[in-house]
């Protein structure tokens, strides 16, 4: 992609090397960061790509600065969390709870990672543990308590999206968060949505 595009990969607040912001980890707190970055740093039309919660933030960003968003690409977005406790979702719920356990030293990072990926080698173990430990435990608490969508009229927000939108999702039995009813929910609100089911994948249809 970098041969044809200028790529920006943003660590969101409470993730990676970005600042911790205790008490401000809802979607309504996150997406203004993307809006500000796009307006102040990029200053030209972009294609937004978001995975999981990042997909939700990409959609919300497109509602706020339509003049700067050419298109949105959603990689198995976590829109289901608007009305379903994430800990009750097979795969995703186990991951969120497990990450919280690792961050609070209730279980070994290595054992937890190997539960999800028994074939992980030492390099993958180290990289995944580093990624897990870069997350603020308070963000995990927001997800477990199902507060990510608090203060947001998500259904109404989606109707404001006017750019082409591509939704890629995997198989529910392999960990995808996107059911056919979820696809219908989004399609009803975004006229220019194209949905592609990538069989044989789960929550990471792009991997």
């Amino acid at each position: 992609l970098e041969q044809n595009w200028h790529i920006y990969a943003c660590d969101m607040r409470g993730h990676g090397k970005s600042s911790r912001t205790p008490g401000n980890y809802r979607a309504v707190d996150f997406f203004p960061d993307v809006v500000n970055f796009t307006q102040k740093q990029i200053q030209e039309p972009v294609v937004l790509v978001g995975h999981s919660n990042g997909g939700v933030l990409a959609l919300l960003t497109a509602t706020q600065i339509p003049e700067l968003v050419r298109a949105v690409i959603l990689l198995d977005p976590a829109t289901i969390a608007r009305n379903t406790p994430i800990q009750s979702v097979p795969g995703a719920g186990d991951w969120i709870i497990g990450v919280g356990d690792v961050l609070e030293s209730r279980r070994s990072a290595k054992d937890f990672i190997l539960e999800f990926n028994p074939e992980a080698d030492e390099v993958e173990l180290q990289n995944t543990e580093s990624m897990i430990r870069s997350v603020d435990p308070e963000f995990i608490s927001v997800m477990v308590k199902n507060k990510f969508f608090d203060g947001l009229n998500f259904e109404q927000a989606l109707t404001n999206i006017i750019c082409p939108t591509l939704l890629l999702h995997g198989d529910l039995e392999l960990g995808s968060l996107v059911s056919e009813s979820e696809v219908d929910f989004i399609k009803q609100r975004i006229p220019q949505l194209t949905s592609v089911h990538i069989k044989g994948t789960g929550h990471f249809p792009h991997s």
Side-chain angles (χ1 to χ4, degrees):
L1 285 177
E2 62 271 15
Q3 294 179 358
N4 299 304
W5 297 85
H6 189 156
I7 299 173
Y8 298 87
C10 302
D11 284 345
M12 302 308 298
R13 59 172 64 197
H15 293 69
K17 296 180 181 179
S18 289
S19 301
R20 279 23 181 172
T21 57
N24 297 283
Y25 287 130
R26 301 170 301 163
V28 293
D29 302 312
F30 277 102
F31 85 85
D33 296 340
V34 184
V35 171
N36 289 335
F37 182 80
T38 304
Q39 290 176 323
K40 296 178 181 179
Q41 299 296 322
I42 304 178
Q43 299 181 346
E44 61 181 332
V46 300
V47 174
L48 295 174
V49 182
H51 171 246
S52 197
N53 281 336
V56 174
L57 304 182
L59 289 170
L60 293 173
T61 299
T63 70
Q64 295 298 302
I65 48 172
E67 73 284 0
L68 287 178
V69 180
R70 295 169 53 189
V72 174
I73 300 174
L74 306 172
L75 306 173
D76 214 68
T79 55
I80 190 175
R82 74 188 188 283
N83 58 12
T84 301
I86 198 68
Q87 65 267 31
S88 70
V89 179
D94 296 331
W95 176 262
I96 287 290
I97 292 172
V99 168
D101 286 345
V102 171
L103 293 175
E104 299 294 341
S105 300
R106 290 189 290 265
R107 66 194 301 188
S108 155
K110 181 177 181 179
D111 291 345
F112 167 63
I113 296 166
L114 287 174
E115 284 181 23
F116 275 83
N117 183 8
E119 298 180 358
D121 59 22
E122 195 61 35
V123 172
E124 190 166 0
L125 284 170
Q126 291 177 1
N127 290 340
T128 305
E129 179 174 358
S130 177
M131 180 270 292
I132 289 173
R133 296 198 183 281
S134 77
V135 178
D136 189 338
E138 286 207 23
F139 168 73
I140 300 300
S141 177
V142 167
M143 295 302 299
V144 170
K145 294 177 181 177
N146 207 38
K147 293 182 176 295
F148 188 68
F149 282 85
D150 282 6
L152 175 67
N153 187 339
F154 187 61
E155 294 186 24
Q156 179 60 41
L158 291 186
T159 64
N160 296 323
I161 295 176
I162 59 175
C163 65
T165 303
L166 174 63
L167 167 61
L168 305 179
H169 66 99
D171 299 324
L172 290 175
E173 60 271 21
L174 295 179
S176 172
L177 299 181
V178 182
S179 63
E180 287 304 317
S181 62
E182 200 65 16
V183 172
D184 291 340
F185 165 81
I186 300 173
K187 272 186 177 179
Q188 290 169 8
R189 291 159 179 82
I190 304 178
Q192 297 195 66
L193 180 77
T194 298
S195 173
V196 179
H197 178 194
I198 303 180
K199 295 181 180 180
T201 67
H203 188 45
F204 298 86
H206 50 298
S207 64

